[in-house]
Amino acid sequence: MGATGALRPAVAALRAGGAEVHALARHVDLAGVVPVAVDWHDTAAVRVALEGRELDEALVYAPTAPAASVAALVAAVSGRVVRLLPSAALRPPATLADLAAPDAVRVVLGWARGAGGSRWHTPAEISAAALGALRDGHDTVLGAVRPWSHRPV
């Protein structure tokens, strides 16, 4: 999930490295990507779409997907799974240790701070963090998540 948006640069990098990329989404229009047309909110359809697929790794950005749909994907992956979570996952007083994801490496998408204020991260920044977590297997927070009052709107 996220292959056509936030993770599009990651998809391009994986393809450039020779990986076969499967993208789960309602609409997939990416050259060289195996489309898996499915709505994450239909858990039964997700299970059917993943049946028989052998996936080595996964980058998952599906913040509103039912837990059962994400679990179906995790079960289909033989290697590392990286879950991207929105900044709201760390709304105070939550900490990274509070987030339940024993089956995946977590990347929490915070925000970037600069002289002009706070902004959300770009797809290139998000993809770089996701690919880094896929390589090193460490939970991370991209950017800032505190103070919460500095969160962009």
Side-chain angles (χ1 to χ4, degrees):
M1 182 70 170
T4 59
L7 291 173
R8 191 177 190 121
V11 168
L14 290 167
R15 288 288 304 130
E20 179 178 88
V21 177
H22 296 243
L24 278 70
R26 284 180 292 232
H27 307 286
V28 179
D29 182 15
L30 298 171
V33 172
V34 178
V36 182
V38 68
D39 184 336
W40 277 96
H41 293 92
D42 185 345
T43 299
V46 170
R47 285 190 185 113
V48 169
L50 292 170
E51 208 168 275
R53 291 183 193 270
E54 295 181 20
L55 305 173
D56 298 327
E57 302 171 314
L59 299 176
V60 183
Y61 182 54
T64 63
S69 291
V70 175
L73 174 63
V74 170
V77 176
S78 62
R80 184 169 289 145
V81 175
V82 174
R83 289 199 61 189
L84 287 84
L85 304 170
S87 61
L90 287 181
R91 177 182 294 278
T95 67
L96 194 57
D98 296 328
L99 300 177
D103 55 357
V105 176
R106 299 159 295 178
V107 175
V108 178
L109 304 176
W111 53 87
R113 292 190 287 208
S118 298
R119 65 169 176 80
W120 296 116
H121 289 284
T122 66
E125 293 166 334
I126 292 168
S127 289
L131 291 172
L134 191 62
R135 277 190 312 273
D136 70 26
H138 295 96
D139 290 339
T140 190
V141 175
L142 175 59
V145 291
R146 301 285 189 273
W148 193 253
S149 61
H150 290 186
R151 186 174 185 258
V153 285

